[in-house]
Amino acid sequence: MTPNDFREHCRAVASWVDWDNTVDQFMHGDTHAEVRGIAVTWLATDARLREAASLGLNFVIAHEGAFYPRYAGTPREDRHHAAKHALMDQLGITLMRCHDTWDRMPEVGIPDAWATFLGFPTEPRPVESFYRVCLPGGRTVAQVAGRVLEKVRPLGQQFVGIVGDRNAPVQRMVIGTGAITRLPDMHELGADLILATDDGITTTASGLWSLDLGVPMLIINHATAELPGMQALAEYIPRHFPGIPVHYLPGEFPYPIVAEA
């Protein structure tokens, strides 16, 4: 197996991706190298790259980008980019981003894996949608938040934010992932509760929308909603590329709360 074999597999299964305009690209390395092992991680930090190399894994698949485009264009960030490329050269790693493929992959991709992880009954998701409808069965907002918190604590998430009426009953909760939690679109699906992410909203605009329209909102970390999908990717790959070692590497997100007396 080569890294390019995995990308060609993605091209074959992900008809929803515009393969002429996608971030699902190689970010570094030899795309035709023999794969000794694969690391799957949400964010390819330097620490995760070193961990992959220490395990003998030379192909890293990350959901998010590995560089710093928001801070690009300055001499300091150019040096950071160069240093990261040099690190991957030193470690002998090929790095690929698997984002657009996995953001809509049926059943095991990011939105469906998140819904499965939360454990509520759900409605089917059209492949073009980034959202899933969960059916909490009349639990209150506070009860749903408690159920979500129980689920996400093992991922490192220590709290769930609540905006709006905690006592409102919930029949239809629409959940999103990553930065794709556009509240009006989720409301169009009949939501009486929205599960959004910190990167998918802004406190002012989204909080105002939620409070004025009377649609309560839960808020969790961007990574939290996507980690179950990345764990599912680590389980998916061996089914299609048997015999290749695959390791899921947890990352530094979500960030824990540390309180000191």
Side-chain angles (χ1 to χ4, degrees):
M1 176 193 177
T2 70
N4 196 57
D5 290 334
F6 175 74
R7 189 173 187 276
E8 288 304 306
H9 174 82
C10 292
R11 286 178 62 96
V13 299
S15 59
W16 52 90
V17 175
D18 178 358
W19 288 99
D20 294 322
N21 182 28
T22 178
V23 298
D24 288 11
Q25 306 288 349
F26 291 102
M27 292 180 279
H28 186 87
D30 182 357
T31 64
H32 297 286
E34 181 180 353
V35 173
R36 299 190 304 274
I38 300 172
V40 175
T41 192
W42 182 71
L43 196 64
T45 62
D46 289 356
R48 296 291 76 75
L49 295 171
R50 292 190 179 96
E51 183 180 1
S54 74
L55 294 171
L57 314 173
N58 65 333
F59 181 29
V60 176
I61 301 171
H63 189 64
E64 303 296 351
F67 296 96
Y68 324 98
R70 180 166 294 184
Y71 309 122
T74 65
R76 178 182 295 273
E77 293 314 311
D78 289 345
R79 290 195 298 272
H80 284 166
H81 283 213
K84 191 150 196 167
H85 282 293
L87 174 64
M88 286 187 279
D89 279 337
Q90 175 189 341
L91 298 175
I93 280 177
T94 299
L95 175 63
M96 179 185 158
R97 187 176 184 187
C98 183
H99 183 275
D100 297 348
T101 297
W102 217 242
D103 264 3
R104 292 180 175 175
M105 185 73 174
E107 298 183 11
V108 291
I110 295 292
D112 292 347
W114 178 223
T116 299
F117 180 81
L118 292 175
F120 296 103
T122 59
E123 293 181 355
R125 177 184 65 89
V127 72
E128 66 274 9
S129 176
F130 294 108
Y131 307 117
R132 194 76 188 258
V133 177
C134 296
L135 307 172
R139 291 180 174 90
T140 67
V141 169
Q143 289 170 335
V144 174
R147 169 76 176 271
V148 172
L149 182 57
E150 288 177 7
K151 292 290 185 176
V152 300
R153 273 184 173 142
L155 299 177
Q157 177 90 39
Q158 303 300 318
F159 66 94
V160 174
I162 301 177
V163 178
D165 183 359
R166 295 166 176 257
N167 297 314
V170 181
Q171 300 296 338
R172 293 174 65 82
M173 175 174 69
V174 177
I175 65 173
T177 61
I180 312 171
T181 54
R182 181 172 169 77
L183 305 189
D185 293 345
M186 300 170 83
H187 192 219
E188 284 295 316
L189 296 174
D192 51 19
L193 176 64
I194 287 173
L195 177 52
T197 71
D198 49 14
D199 280 350
I201 65 165
T202 61
T203 302
T204 50
S206 304
L208 177 67
W209 183 95
S210 174
L211 294 170
D212 276 356
L213 273 69
V215 181
M217 176 171 60
L218 307 182
I219 308 167
I220 48 85
N221 177 253
H222 178 154
T224 301
E226 298 190 332
L227 296 183
M230 297 312 290
Q231 293 168 350
L233 176 57
E235 297 168 358
Y236 172 91
I237 293 172
R239 296 198 292 269
H240 297 272
F241 296 93
I244 303 295
V246 180
H247 292 256
Y248 168 73
L249 304 183
E252 290 84 357
F253 288 94
Y255 31 77
I257 297 176
V258 179
E260 297 182 2

